[in-house]
Amino acid sequence: MRTYAEAAGAARLSPCDGAYVLDWPDDDPRKVRFAVVADAISLLADSARLERVHVCPGRDCGWLFLNRSGRQRWCSMATCGSRAKMRAMYARRLQER
């Protein structure tokens, strides 16, 4: 919460798609950190989006991800999903022998 308070204090309101958003000067080195914490706070305030937050079941992962499609299972198909599918394929091939 302290970082969000710092972000809000350093922000300016900028017009965006008929509304206003928090924005920070491009030369502020904290801009990315502030944008991430502001997005996290807005996610926590939106129960419909919060229901779509899941923990990745990938081995040794534990990342959180926003499941927009309702079908997403892993944080990333390129890493956790691919590894899980390869393990499952390997296990099936072992059973076939």
Side-chain angles (χ1 to χ4, degrees):
M1 292 305 285
R2 182 174 46 226
T3 302
Y4 181 73
E6 184 182 354
R12 61 180 178 228
L13 287 175
S14 297
C16 179
D17 297 329
Y20 289 89
V21 295
L22 294 178
D23 194 19
W24 299 270
D26 289 334
D27 61 348
D28 189 334
R30 305 167 300 174
K31 180 176 181 163
V32 172
R33 180 170 50 108
F34 286 167
V36 168
V37 76
D39 283 348
I41 292 296
S42 71
L43 175 66
L44 291 172
D46 185 341
S47 62
R49 285 179 47 207
L50 192 56
E51 288 177 2
R52 293 180 170 261
V53 174
H54 298 281
V55 177
C56 180
R59 186 183 290 176
D60 299 324
C61 180
W63 278 74
L64 297 176
F65 65 94
L66 187 60
N67 183 349
R68 292 187 182 111
S69 69
R71 298 176 313 215
Q72 187 175 347
R73 184 167 173 196
W74 298 283
C75 66
S76 167
M77 193 58 211
T79 54
C80 292
S82 177
R83 290 177 189 149
K85 287 186 172 200
M86 290 300 290
R87 279 199 256 340
M89 183 179 73
Y90 180 72
R92 282 191 307 272
R93 288 201 177 167
L94 282 179
Q95 288 178 351
E96 292 172 359
R97 290 181 179 184

